[in-house]
Every structure is written in structure tokens, then in C-alpha cells.
Amino acid sequence: MSTSMPVRAVRLLAGLALFGVSVGLLVRADLGLASWDVLHQGLAARTGLPMGVVVNGIALVVLLLWIPLRQRPGVGTVANVALVGLALDATLALLPPVGALVGRVPLLLAGILLNGVATALYLGARLGPGPRDGLMTGLAARGLPIGRVRTLIELVVLALGWLLGGTVGPGTLLFALAIGPLVQYLVPRLTAPAPVRPAPTGVTPPCPV
């Protein structure tokens, strides 16, 4: 898999666009909000703030949690904030609401699978995680399995959102339980290899044992 910057940038942009599409599919499935959105909705209801303000506020709080985890933002972090919402809005504009359950269940399953693929793509570009994914990668960097970390975060956030009055449905629980194993399986397979740094001039590389 190529490590060149143009290829990694394309992977980043494709992953973020697909992530927005996946969220749109979950919205149209109308079988329960994703865990973070349950929290956003619950906080918005309790505080009276617009949900968009709550989303940005939570993102800022999560970014502050990066500090003890020694996570660093990158171009992917900024692009995440700028592009996911655009892709989501475009998906909702193109995909009308679906009334029948027989059509909404496939949308839910496709949304969960696509979300896992999209997450692995943009994380695998090695250009910086999104605010919430940085929390996951920061904890995983301490030796914890990334799938368990993601599942734990999803369940904690879901529980907090539910206690605050956020809407929970069968799709919410399925997403929370499925996305961690999906990410753990896909991230190693869709991650670009780390760039090889040339040895300093005048230094002989060590011979392999």
C-alpha cells in the first residue's frame, strides 16, 4: 500500500466523505441515534442549547482529553470537522426518508458497515484522527485493544446520553456493539505503512540479524 502523501490525502478525503454518508444512512434508517448523537441530543434537551452547539462543545472537551493522552491533531482532524457534515447533508438531500421497516433495516446495516470502513480509511491515512477517534487511538496506544476501547467508549457515551434523555433504539445498541470489532478488523488492513525515513548521511544502516 502506497505511503505517498497524495495517496494518503485521497484516502483521508474518501474516508471522511464515506463517514458522512454512513451517518446519513443511519439517520434515514431511523432505528436509533448513534451513541455520540444520543449524548448530544440529551445534553441539548437538558441545557436548551442548539444541538450543533453541543456537538462542537463536546468536540472541544474531547480535544482537551487528548492532552494527557499525548495525541496531536493533524490535517485530518481539521478536515474531519469540515467535511463530514457536508457529506452528511448531501446524503440526506439525495436520500429521501424510508417508511417501511424492510427498507430501513438494510440502511442501518449498510450504515454501520460503511462507518467502520470509513473510519479505518481516514485513520489509516495517518494524517490525524477526528476529535472523538483521537480519544480511541490515544487509549489504544497504551496497549489496549482498539476494538474493546471503541466499544467501551460507545457504551459509556450511550449510557450518559440515555440518562440525559437522548433517544435510544435497537440500531443504537447494534451500532455500539458492532463498530468496535469492525474497526479492530479493518484498521490494520486499511492503514498505510509508516513512511521509511532515510538513514542520515554518513551513517551505515545496521545489518539485519
Side-chain angles (χ1 to χ4, degrees), residues 18-122:
L18 292 175
F19 191 93
V21 173
S22 74
V23 176
L25 294 178
L26 293 172
V27 170
R28 287 294 185 242
D30 195 23
L31 289 169
L33 297 171
S35 305
W36 283 100
D37 290 327
V38 173
L39 177 60
H40 298 151
Q41 185 191 55
L43 281 172
R46 291 294 181 118
T47 61
L49 294 171
M51 193 165 174
V53 173
V54 173
V55 169
N56 289 337
I58 291 293
L60 179 60
V61 171
V62 174
L63 283 173
L64 292 176
L65 293 176
W66 283 25
I67 298 174
L69 294 174
R70 298 179 182 177
Q71 290 290 284
R72 295 181 179 180
V75 64
T77 309
V78 178
N80 187 292
V81 176
L83 296 180
V84 170
L86 294 176
L88 167 60
D89 288 343
T91 302
L92 295 178
L94 293 172
L95 183 63
V98 179
L101 183 62
V102 68
R104 289 157 54 203
V105 170
L107 285 181
L108 171 68
L109 298 178
I112 294 173
L113 178 59
L114 187 59
N115 193 279
V117 172
T119 300
L121 270 177
Y122 73 72

Side-chain angles (χ1 to χ4, degrees), residues 71-200:
Q71 290 290 284
R72 295 181 179 180
V75 64
T77 309
V78 178
N80 187 292
V81 176
L83 296 180
V84 170
L86 294 176
L88 167 60
D89 288 343
T91 302
L92 295 178
L94 293 172
L95 183 63
V98 179
L101 183 62
V102 68
R104 289 157 54 203
V105 170
L107 285 181
L108 171 68
L109 298 178
I112 294 173
L113 178 59
L114 187 59
N115 193 279
V117 172
T119 300
L121 270 177
Y122 73 72
L123 286 180
R126 295 180 180 270
L127 292 172
R132 294 158 184 81
D133 287 317
L135 183 61
M136 173 185 70
T137 56
L139 291 171
R142 270 108 185 110
L144 300 172
I146 193 169
R148 293 182 187 176
V149 170
R150 180 61 181 267
T151 300
L152 178 61
I153 291 173
E154 293 287 336
L155 292 176
V156 169
V157 168
L158 172 57
L160 289 174
W162 177 71
L163 290 173
L164 289 170
T167 303
V168 176
T172 307
L173 187 58
L174 181 59
F175 181 92
L177 295 176
I179 194 63
L182 269 175
V183 168
Q184 180 164 327
Y185 176 81
L186 292 170
V187 165
R189 290 162 174 79
L190 295 177
T191 295
V196 178
R197 299 181 181 274

